[in-house]
Amino acid sequence: MIRADTLQAAPSFAGISTYGLLPHQACLDDESIEYDIGIIGIPFDVGVSYRPGARFGPSAIRQASRTLTLAGGYNVPLAVNPFKFWGRALDCGDIPVIPYDKHEAMDQIERGYTSLLQRNTYTKEFSSTKTGSQSIPRLLTLGGDHTILLPILRSIKKVYGPMTVIHFDAHLDSWNPSASAPTKEAVLTHGSFFYLASKEGLLHNDTNIHAGLRTTLGSLADYEDDDKCGFVRVEAHEIDRIGVDGIIEKIKKRVGLERPVYLSMDIDTLDPANAPATGTPETGGWTSREMRTIIRGLADLNIIGADLVELAPAYDTNAEVTALAAAALIYEVMSIFVQRGPMRLE
Ligand SMILES: [Mn+2]
């Protein structure tokens, strides 16, 4: 028999998969569990228009994330180690979602996310009755198709009010379903959730931004609907002219440094050469290097939470190329959270 305490440290290819081999706790089952950063999987993919399979995204990201701590986990460009820091990060497992009823699934996600967001932090730095401010955890969500952002924004509104969103995607995801949905059931999809979120008052009016776009349109009326959701648009090809610094500058200018902002990353922002395993692939996207640099460039923004969605691992290569990119993008955001310190809610 080998005693565990005789080993130096478990190799990163051993043990049960959690994100970055973080400790797992069943945060949804026990509301006394505290953390500063919570990883949560949402294995929902009933809103997809083309290739299904993003329900397996969370487990694929966890598996691919094993490499993150292989050499220690220190993030050189951001000068921080998101796995050794001032607080506690946990992998909270998955929100259980029913695959047979899209609307019930939305309720399950909202209930689960709300419970995880409205939780005491492990680090009490800002918890003071004197100042009236408190600490609040930051959640990193592993999708799931992009539809999950609707219930996430519903939960976020309860804490922060209408939210500013930085949306990395090949597509607008603000399509007006009244134009094309043949039934009531067809209204909510991974392409219409921003339109619905805007109608519900979940989005800030005029501070949102898309980046990485290269979708075709039904017509230019799609942009009018998108304008009404409070977005401006950065096309993927702009990187050839203004570079990654230009993309970062546009995003920062739009959202500002102080305002609470939510970061949503569709893996289809990347070129299919870098990320083939996704629901609606589009050529002409960014490389994983460019995308990671752009995310790091947002380190001085006030990011309150983030997701990585639309990884459908059945279409991945044997080398997990898409899942590795997804795990790394979450790593960059987690590094930003650690660099900024505890999240303070006024
Ligand atoms: Mn999307």
Side-chain angles (χ1 to χ4, degrees), residues 42-343:
I42 305 185
F44 171 90
D45 65 1
V46 187
V48 171
S49 55
Y50 195 59
R51 291 171 172 175
R55 70 183 62 179
F56 297 106
S59 55
I61 294 172
R62 290 187 174 106
Q63 171 62 25
S65 72
R66 288 172 176 276
T67 61
L68 294 173
T69 51
L70 183 61
Y74 184 82
N75 188 325
V76 172
L78 288 173
V80 77
N81 189 331
F83 300 106
K84 289 179 190 152
F85 69 105
W86 43 264
R88 178 198 267 173
L90 293 178
D91 188 326
C92 291
D94 293 343
I95 296 178
V97 285
I98 185 168
Y100 308 118
D101 183 334
K102 199 161 51 176
H103 304 289
E104 174 60 19
M106 293 300 107
D107 287 344
Q108 290 174 315
I109 295 166
E110 184 181 346
R111 284 197 300 274
Y113 198 93
T114 301
S115 164
L116 295 174
L117 186 60
Q118 296 184 359
R119 190 68 62 96
N120 288 332
T121 50
Y122 178 76
T123 303
K124 310 296 182 197
E125 188 168 326
F126 294 126
S127 294
S128 158
T129 44
K130 263 191 209 153
T131 61
S133 65
Q134 63 177 102
S135 296
I136 187 161
R138 294 185 182 93
L139 298 178
L140 283 166
T141 299
L142 318 175
D145 80 48
H146 225 150
T147 318
I148 65 171
L149 194 45
L150 182 65
I152 288 174
L153 288 169
R154 286 173 178 156
S155 296
I156 285 174
K157 190 188 177 189
K158 293 174 201 167
V159 174
Y160 290 97
M163 184 50 52
T164 296
V165 177
I166 301 172
H167 174 226
F168 288 96
D169 207 302
H171 312 92
L172 298 168
D173 293 0
S174 61
W175 274 283
N176 179 349
S178 61
S180 55
T183 66
K184 236 175 91 185
E185 289 301 309
V187 163
L188 173 63
T189 74
H190 74 158
S192 66
F193 62 89
F194 273 137
Y195 183 90
L196 301 170
S198 169
K199 288 273 182 231
E200 281 184 36
L202 309 179
L203 295 175
H204 200 265
N205 283 338
D206 54 4
T207 51
N208 309 309
I209 185 164
H210 303 290
L213 297 174
R214 54 197 187 278
T215 180
T216 63
L217 303 177
S219 75
L220 284 171
D222 294 342
Y223 281 167
E224 290 167 28
D225 289 324
D226 193 57
D227 290 343
K228 286 180 202 152
C229 297
F231 281 96
V232 294
R233 295 171 287 274
V234 177
E235 295 270 333
H237 64 77
E238 293 183 46
I239 204 168
D240 298 326
R241 197 165 38 82
I242 64 175
V244 289
D245 287 343
I247 303 286
I248 292 164
E249 220 26 65
K250 277 195 167 193
I251 295 169
K252 286 167 77 165
K253 228 174 157 180
R254 173 67 173 171
V255 305
L257 296 184
E258 305 300 323
R259 180 180 289 116
V261 57
Y262 183 86
L263 180 61
S264 187
M265 302 180 288
D266 191 318
I267 196 68
D268 74 18
T269 311
L270 300 184
D271 192 88
N274 284 237
T278 191
T280 45
E282 304 277 357
T283 62
W286 295 336
T287 66
S288 53
R289 185 190 70 251
E290 289 162 344
M291 178 79 174
R292 290 180 64 168
T293 302
I294 291 167
I295 297 298
R296 288 195 302 269
L298 307 180
D300 46 1
L301 300 186
N302 186 15
I303 302 172
I304 61 120
D307 63 63
L308 186 294
V309 296
E310 297 283 351
L311 168 65
Y315 314 99
D316 214 353
T317 69
N318 290 349
E320 306 173 280
V321 56
T322 319
L324 286 167
L329 289 168
I330 288 286
Y331 166 78
E332 299 290 5
V333 181
M334 191 169 159
S335 300
I336 290 173
F337 290 170
V338 168
Q339 195 190 57
R340 282 186 73 84
M343 180 77 210

Side-chain angles (χ1 to χ4, degrees), residues 23-35 37-40 89-94 112 115-116 119 139:
H24 163 63
Q25 291 202 44
C27 312
L28 285 166
D29 296 343
D30 180 353
E31 293 194 346
S32 71
I33 295 171
E34 299 175 337
Y35 41 85
I37 297 173
I39 306 285
I40 184 68
L90 293 178
D91 188 326
C92 291
D94 293 343
S115 164
L116 295 174
R119 190 68 62 96
L139 298 178

